[in-house]
């Protein structure tokens, strides 16, 4: 379970890094639209995108293959989150408690993160991709709550 949680967090971090690279591309493109006179330059840092695709792809395949062994179905392995451990009634009960804890955590996390968006105008010059970080905090916190609850009840 710890390994699946860490791999999921790794995928989220790689995805966030790639989205920040795409954000910089969009900012360059917005400058081209605002000032259409040549020369036009839009640059993409390919390192985060390639890392997200290659490393994230490898991690995803690993998680799906491990899940396929557990669920004995490729469809379930592909569509269920990798953290679901449900081979018997006891594990289904633990998963239910962890899902409940994750839901309750999100009930409080959404308003807090929404309030943190109010800081953005003050830090937009220094940290222009702040909204990307905040949005990616939601699944990170949800996964952490699920993991901690699952560990507590297991």
């Amino acid at each position: 379970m710890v390994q699946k949680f860490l791999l999921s967090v790794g995928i989220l971090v790689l995805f966030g890094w790639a989205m920040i690279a795409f954000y910089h591309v969009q900012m360059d493109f917005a400058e081209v639209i605002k000032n259409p006179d040549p020369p036009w330059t839009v640059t993409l840092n390919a390192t985060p995108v390639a890392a997200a695709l290659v490393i994230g792809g490898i991690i995803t395949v690993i998680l799906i293959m491990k899940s396929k062994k557990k669920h004995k179905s490729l469809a379930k392995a592909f569509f269920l989150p990798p953290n679901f451990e449900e081979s018997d009634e006891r594990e289904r009960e633990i998963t239910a408690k962890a899902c409940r804890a994750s839901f309750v955590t999100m009930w409080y996390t959404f308003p807090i993160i929404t309030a943190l968006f109010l800081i953005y105008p003050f830090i937009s010059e220094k940290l222009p991709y702040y909204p990307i970080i905040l949005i990616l905090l939601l699944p990170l916190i949800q996964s952490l709550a699920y993991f901690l609850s699952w560990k507590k009840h297991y």
Side-chain angles (χ1 to χ4, degrees):
M1 184 62 155
V2 174
Q3 181 185 23
K4 289 180 182 178
F5 171 71
L6 291 176
L7 289 174
S8 296
V9 168
I11 289 173
L12 273 173
V13 169
L14 287 170
F15 178 74
W17 191 28
M19 287 299 102
I20 289 169
F22 282 123
Y23 176 81
H24 289 299
V25 168
Q26 284 298 102
M27 293 304 291
D28 289 347
F29 186 67
E31 286 298 318
V32 168
I33 298 297
K34 287 179 190 174
N35 186 11
D37 299 328
W40 301 314
T41 59
V42 176
T43 58
L44 171 66
N45 184 0
T47 304
V49 177
L53 289 175
V54 173
I55 298 170
I58 292 169
I59 291 172
T60 301
V61 167
I62 290 169
L63 288 173
I64 287 174
M65 294 319 257
K66 284 186 176 195
S67 229
K68 185 178 181 239
K69 288 178 186 174
K70 185 94 170 166
H71 296 295
K72 297 180 176 53
S73 165
L74 187 59
K76 281 185 179 180
F78 190 71
F79 290 111
L80 285 177
N83 300 349
F84 278 19
E85 299 281 338
E86 300 179 318
S87 61
D88 59 16
E89 278 88 34
R90 180 178 153 268
E91 287 182 350
R92 278 194 270 283
E93 180 71 26
I94 292 169
T95 299
K97 288 178 182 178
C99 286
R100 183 182 188 283
S102 179
F103 177 78
V104 170
T105 301
M106 289 284 78
W107 189 257
Y108 295 105
T109 303
F110 274 114
I112 292 168
I113 288 183
T114 304
L116 287 174
F117 274 103
L118 296 173
I119 299 171
Y120 182 62
F122 301 108
I123 63 170
S124 63
E125 295 292 322
K126 298 243 184 218
L127 201 62
Y129 43 85
Y130 180 71
I132 295 171
I133 294 170
L134 287 182
I135 289 173
L136 288 177
L137 276 176
L138 291 170
L140 182 67
I141 292 170
Q142 187 176 23
S143 295
L144 182 63
Y146 180 89
F147 170 72
L148 291 176
S149 176
W150 200 89
K151 275 301 210 187
K152 176 183 171 187
H153 292 99
Y154 193 69

